[in-house]
Amino acid sequence: MPRVDIPGSKSLTARALFLAAAADGVTTLRRPLRSDDTEGFAEGLIGLGYRVGRTQDAWQVDGRPQGPAVREADVYCRDGATTARFLPTLAAAGHGTYRFDASPQMRRRPLLPLTRALRDLGVDLRHEEAEGHHPLTVAAAGVEGGDVVLDAGQSSQYLTALLLLGPLTRTGLRITVTDLVSAPYVEITLAMMRAFGVEVGREGDTYVVPPGGYRATTYAIEPDASTASYFFAAAAVTPGAEVTVPGLGEGALQGDLGFVDVLRRMGARVTVGADRTTVRGTGELRGLTVNMRDVSDTMPTLAAIAPYASGPVRIEDVANTRVKECDRLEACASNLRRLGVEVATGPDWIEIRPGAPEGAEITTYGDHRIVMSFAVTGLRTPGISFDDPGCVRKTFPGFHEAFAELRKDIVG
């Protein structure tokens, strides 16, 4: 039975790096993800004057509750959305002038609800070119705190950034959210803040974050549930195949593990244990209609296996996937059509008809999740290739090798 060791969670690693940098003392992060995104986050912290020691299996961060150690910095956030959204927020708690820029892909991604909220809290923040996009400069003088209203309908990362900032403010934060997508990611944030000594209260749509800072700790990063989805899907589309991912079980923080419930509804056999999850392909894959608002990073995984279902697969409430690394909803639709599959789309939904995909080159749009998703399609459809297979380095540099290994085990 193939056992797949998935690299650490990107979401957890990014949050842990922020928390470690903000905490009082030295934090050790065990099994962090080593990828382009997380290395970019760590390099950004180093640019801001934090000490980050990196070995193969653990990173150590010297926390600075008072903010960056330098008074001026120019930080390049690469392609990382968490880097591009969290680091300017962290820098706002310090004292100095900090400029942030990012890749052309990340420059296109929206930032305005977060920067608007930071300005409402008195942060001197200026966008150099397009309003609400990188590059930007923060003239930091600490953050007083207080009440703020936030629209997190495009990305839960806006709310996470403000929650993480709260304990570093002088009086704490009361964040009222008018709309929220990908809510399980916020639960990850709250659980991790708790591990670093901060308890966030909730009054309806308002999050109450106390001042007082964070305590350093040793924190183990669980495997990435979004990345695990490709391996679980591989089992589901291959009759008799079984895949187990250790380290992701009943106590997992990541909502994206809920993807296995979708596979279960489609006919796969799923077992979630205390510290592992197993998916077995039964030879049956039924169509379904599913709301994926809370697990939208796994939408492309489902879209990529949908043609093999016995009925239509309709994925709803995923408008936010249009403002990820690319317009993922459109990318999935156009690639499926390129494979000869019938697809319909709307502003926030995609419906995929059963079909017999034919091999073709997948246009990746530089998006790691498009590559990894359609690699699963390639288990049943020969002749699938990618125009930019290397973009998986964003979250899983060793993906192609790991997936080839799995293919050998389950397809032969």
Side-chain angles (χ1 to χ4, degrees):
M1 175 179 72
R3 166 194 148 121
V4 182
D5 288 311
I6 301 290
S9 160
K10 180 180 77 157
S11 302
L12 269 67
T13 302
R15 285 161 176 76
L17 283 168
F18 184 116
L19 289 161
D24 190 5
V26 179
T27 290
T28 300
L29 306 180
R30 300 207 182 285
R31 298 188 306 278
L33 171 65
R34 299 201 71 145
S35 73
D36 196 62
D37 268 14
T38 56
E39 293 281 2
F41 200 118
E43 293 295 332
L45 286 176
I46 291 166
L48 291 168
Y50 295 89
R51 195 195 72 80
V52 183
R54 286 172 281 181
T55 64
Q56 193 54 43
D57 296 322
W59 290 356
Q60 277 198 331
V61 183
D62 283 12
R64 288 183 53 85
Q66 66 274 44
V70 295
R71 297 301 296 251
E72 283 186 21
D74 203 327
V75 175
Y76 182 64
C77 300
R78 304 191 193 180
D79 268 343
T82 47
T83 311
R85 290 161 178 169
F86 294 0
L87 285 186
T89 309
L90 175 65
H95 291 79
T97 303
Y98 308 107
R99 183 180 182 273
F100 298 88
D101 200 359
S103 69
Q105 185 190 54
M106 190 59 226
R107 275 183 167 205
R108 288 192 296 272
R109 296 182 69 180
L111 204 62
L112 192 57
L114 174 60
T115 55
R116 209 175 254 152
L118 289 170
R119 283 173 175 157
D120 288 346
L121 290 167
V123 176
D124 182 352
L125 186 152
R126 185 172 54 84
H127 291 283
E128 289 177 19
E129 294 176 19
E131 186 64 14
H133 294 268
H134 279 278
L136 60 89
T137 299
V138 177
V143 181
E144 182 62 27
D147 290 57
V148 68
V149 176
L150 175 75
D151 178 355
Q154 278 180 329
S155 173
S156 63
Q157 287 177 6
Y158 305 149
L159 176 55
T160 281
L162 290 180
L163 288 167
L164 292 171
L165 172 66
L168 303 180
T169 64
R170 286 183 276 274
T171 61
L173 286 183
R174 290 176 58 88
I175 310 159
T176 300
V177 182
T178 58
D179 189 20
L180 177 60
V181 73
S182 303
Y185 281 95
V186 176
E187 295 306 318
I188 292 174
T189 305
L190 299 177
M192 292 185 70
M193 289 173 71
R194 205 172 295 128
F196 282 78
V198 173
E199 190 67 52
V200 176
R202 184 113 186 239
E203 298 168 6
D205 293 328
T206 300
Y207 293 82
V208 183
V209 192
Y214 296 102
R215 282 196 311 270
T217 188
T218 297
Y219 193 87
I221 308 290
E222 68 187 30
D224 194 296
S226 310
T227 301
S229 74
Y230 313 114
F231 296 87
F232 290 139
V237 298
T238 311
E242 192 167 297
V243 167
T244 294
V245 174
L248 281 176
E250 288 160 355
L253 292 179
Q254 298 163 83
D256 275 5
L257 186 56
F259 178 72
V260 298
D261 295 328
V262 180
L263 297 178
R264 183 188 279 128
R265 284 177 59 193
M266 295 178 81
R269 187 170 301 131
V270 176
T271 310
V272 181
D275 64 345
R276 62 192 51 232
T277 296
T278 301
V279 174
R280 182 178 175 80
T282 60
E284 180 180 29
L285 212 58
R286 298 187 289 270
L288 82 172
T289 295
V290 58
N291 183 310
M292 296 190 84
R293 180 182 178 89
D294 285 343
V295 292
S296 59
D297 272 353
T298 62
M299 178 278 286
T301 321
L302 180 55
I305 65 171
Y308 306 123
S310 57
V313 171
R314 183 181 171 93
I315 305 169
E316 297 181 335
D317 208 359
V318 286
N320 70 311
T321 62
R322 291 189 179 277
V323 290
K324 297 283 188 175
E325 280 81 342
C326 69
D327 180 339
R328 283 185 181 156
L329 199 148
E330 206 46 57
C332 287
S334 63
N335 279 311
L336 286 166
R337 290 184 186 118
R338 195 169 288 121
L339 301 179
V341 176
E342 198 182 321
V343 183
T345 61
D348 68 344
W349 60 269
I350 180 169
E351 186 168 309
I352 301 141
R353 311 285 305 182
E358 295 171 357
E361 184 178 76
I362 297 297
T363 304
T364 63
Y365 305 93
D367 190 332
H368 57 130
R369 299 217 180 278
I370 299 300
V371 177
M372 294 192 274
S373 297
F374 281 92
V376 186
T377 315
L379 289 174
R380 295 264 299 259
T381 299
I384 285 182
S385 61
F386 303 97
D387 65 355
D388 181 12
C391 66
V392 296
R393 64 185 169 272
K394 182 176 172 68
T395 48
F396 191 174
F399 172 78
H400 293 294
E401 294 77 9
F403 206 75
E405 203 60 40
L406 179 74
R407 176 194 282 270
K408 265 193 328 216
D409 285 338
I410 67 175
V411 179

